[in-house]
Amino acid sequence: MAVAALDRAETWSDDERRAAQWGRLFGALPELLLANAFYRRKLADAGVSDVREITALADLEFTTKAELSQDQTEHPPFGTNLTYSTDRYVRLHQTSGTTGRPLRILDTLDSWRWWRDCWRAIYRAAGVTSTDRVFFAFSFGPFIGFWSAFAGAEALGSLCITGGAMSTSERVAAIVASGATVLMSTPTYALRLAEAARQEGVDLVRSALRVSIHAGEPGASIPATRERIESELGVTAFDHTGATEVGAYGFSCEARDGVHVIESDFIAEVLDPVSGAAREDGEGELVMTNLGRWGMPAIRYRTGDRVRAVRGRCACGRTLLKLAGGISGRVDDMVIVRGVNVFPSSIEAIIRTFDEIAEYRVELVAAREMNELRCGIEPRPGAGVDLGERVATAIHRGLGIRCLVEMLPPGSLPRFEMKSKRFDRAPTSSSATLGS
Ligand SMILES: [Zn+2]
């Protein structure tokens, strides 16, 4: 893609970016502090009484999920992070609830349009246009991701096809019958679709699908997973990141080595886990501020996602911040196995290099006061008898830890449509499986 095709905001210098982002946030602060009880209280707690005392992002406090959750408990049902009266809001969505009680999130018509517009950058980078037919392999429940993606594709002029309330084989049939060219799903579910298609004698490589965009897990930024999706579906696979509380903020470009942050609409910061300092790049927890959802904003929101953020000009021409390798996991997902820091995504990166594995599950168990990894793998037909041994060797080589690998019967592990739960912890007992 030529640089000329990019938006001006995608090639900002650092100074241009900072000025534009701060201008947009600062422009909204007076109304916010006047009308939004949640943020007015936070500012007052921090000793700020006048918006003119705020001269930099660092003057504003972080927002945590625990705070928002507590606020909704104390002020049901929506909490106090509302800038307008409730009749101004047109949509209610909920967080997935994988990390605590679901949060209720409201959007006004304006902020919903903003969500939709954020998707423009994501689709454009993947080469999706008005001539595409986009299939959404999701349930269309209360989670915001696919609703916003659907609205974004519709605004683009694409033909939007919902895959809600369908079984996996019904979805395969619908993709083929409708001539869908773009698939939206989690990385895991894309592989599940390919598996179901094979079982029914359908080769999705020969279907009209040419692009896939994935979210919910980092798979599309993990080379082995991405290559597998691409070869099994005959697509070019792209990654996307977003959060219900924040917005649809990230997309992978043709370099596909991570996701760019849409910095015209979001301010990203990285919180150093050791010093607690927030920086413009580096490794740590992603902190996000959105710049267009003023009805229920997120200011310096701690996402809990662990990233390695890199600045500079990408091969695609963009100067937008890049989260290298996508989101490597939740900050609290990291486990320590015999002194080695391990993320679920680093295990996935190794396991997905084995074509003979259909599905897998990793369990962390406490054995003799030490954490130990156990991995269950479901082999595909024709897998070698030494598969378990080869996987254990690869994990040992790649991560420096020993892992007990167990072969499981075909079809015994769940295939997830939403965020996959392949990583179980049983920290207090050697046999119990918790956290799934
Ligand atoms: Zn790029």
Side-chain angles (χ1 to χ4, degrees):
M1 194 183 294
V3 175
L6 300 177
D7 273 356
R8 181 73 193 88
E10 293 183 302
T11 57
W12 275 339
S13 68
D14 284 347
D15 287 343
E16 287 172 318
R17 168 176 51 82
R18 289 187 198 112
Q21 289 177 327
W22 181 246
R24 212 160 150 187
L25 179 60
F26 196 76
L29 280 179
E31 184 187 20
L32 226 109
L33 298 185
L34 190 72
N36 185 299
F38 179 81
Y39 278 107
R40 190 175 55 224
R41 199 166 55 241
K42 274 181 77 71
L43 259 292
D45 288 350
V48 179
S49 56
D50 189 322
V51 70
R52 282 167 296 189
E53 293 169 43
I54 304 165
T55 56
L57 195 57
D59 293 336
L60 298 160
E61 304 269 301
F62 295 117
T63 306
T64 64
K65 184 164 193 170
E67 272 178 290
L68 292 174
S69 181
Q70 191 190 343
D71 178 54
Q72 291 201 341
T73 305
E74 289 170 1
H75 306 275
F78 306 127
T80 61
N81 184 16
L82 299 171
T83 311
Y84 313 112
S85 68
T86 46
D87 53 8
R88 281 275 298 274
Y89 295 81
V90 298
R91 296 191 75 104
L92 164 63
H93 291 279
Q94 275 181 208
T95 57
S96 61
T98 45
T99 54
R101 227 175 58 117
L103 281 176
R104 296 189 182 90
I105 305 284
L106 297 181
D107 278 290
T108 63
L109 197 54
D110 276 347
S111 64
W112 186 246
R113 286 192 185 115
W114 170 80
W115 264 93
R116 202 186 60 189
D117 291 346
C118 290
W119 273 94
R120 253 177 12 104
I122 301 159
Y123 285 129
R124 203 160 50 103
V128 178
T129 69
S130 62
T131 60
D132 276 303
R133 300 177 186 181
V134 189
F135 188 88
F136 295 81
F138 295 107
S139 63
F140 286 82
F143 180 59
I144 200 166
F146 23 81
W147 290 100
S148 65
F150 198 90
E154 189 182 47
L156 200 65
S158 308
L159 180 64
C160 301
I161 310 158
T162 173
M166 282 185 195
S167 67
T168 300
S169 51
E170 285 169 339
R171 283 171 175 158
V172 169
I175 287 169
V176 174
S178 63
T181 55
V182 178
L183 171 69
M184 310 289 289
S185 74
T186 64
T188 300
Y189 198 73
L191 294 172
R192 169 71 190 124
L193 281 166
E195 184 185 43
R198 259 194 315 274
Q199 283 163 358
E200 291 176 24
V202 177
D203 184 4
L204 286 178
V205 173
R206 296 163 66 100
S207 77
L209 285 179
R210 59 175 196 87
V211 164
S212 62
I213 302 178
H214 305 286
E217 305 156 11
S221 285
I222 297 174
T225 307
R226 188 181 65 227
E227 282 158 21
R228 187 151 170 183
I229 293 169
E230 295 187 331
S231 70
E232 296 194 8
L233 280 89
V235 293
T236 308
F238 293 85
D239 197 4
H240 155 63
T241 52
T244 309
E245 307 91 307
V246 175
Y249 66 78
F251 63 89
S252 55
C253 63
E254 73 247 32
R256 296 184 304 151
D257 53 357
V259 296
H260 284 298
V261 174
I262 306 171
E263 294 193 286
S264 50
D265 291 276
F266 300 90
I267 302 173
E269 299 173 89
V270 181
L271 195 58
D272 186 290
V274 180
S275 70
R279 296 188 307 235
E280 286 195 334
D281 54 11
E283 209 162 336
E285 181 181 350
L286 182 67
V287 174
M288 294 296 280
T289 299
N290 51 23
L291 302 171
R293 199 190 206 182
W294 303 119
M296 200 176 219
I299 296 178
R300 305 194 85 198
Y301 181 71
R302 291 183 60 169
T303 63
D305 289 325
R306 192 182 166 87
V307 297
R308 186 165 65 83
V310 185
R311 290 226 166 264
R313 188 176 290 273
C314 176
C316 72
R318 292 176 178 86
T319 54
L320 298 175
L321 184 72
K322 183 181 284 180
L323 309 181
I327 290 171
S328 52
R330 303 285 300 168
V331 172
D332 45 14
D333 265 352
M334 193 191 77
V335 295
I336 300 172
V337 182
R338 298 185 186 263
V340 179
N341 296 348
V342 180
F343 278 100
S345 57
S346 40
I347 297 172
E348 175 173 358
I350 293 169
I351 288 184
R352 287 300 187 202
T353 60
F354 290 87
D355 277 344
E356 303 145 271
I357 300 175
E359 195 45 85
Y360 72 98
R361 178 190 64 204
V362 178
E363 222 177 330
L364 181 75
V365 292
R368 297 181 300 278
E369 307 301 310
M370 298 281 269
N371 281 333
E372 198 169 83
L373 270 191
R374 290 185 194 170
C375 178
I377 56 175
E378 218 183 85
R380 280 190 172 163
V385 284
D386 61 340
L387 178 61
E389 206 176 299
R390 282 184 283 128
V391 170
T393 305
I395 290 174
H396 188 230
R397 270 203 206 119
L399 303 175
I401 48 174
R402 296 203 182 278
C403 179
L404 192 76
V405 180
E406 184 195 0
M407 304 284 259
L408 302 172
S412 59
L413 291 174
R415 267 64 165 170
F416 296 97
E417 175 194 315
M418 297 281 288
K419 282 183 212 293
S420 297
K421 294 163 191 163
R422 293 199 187 90
F423 205 76
D424 290 333
R425 300 164 190 235
T428 52
S429 139
S430 60
S431 60
T433 297
L434 303 174
S436 52

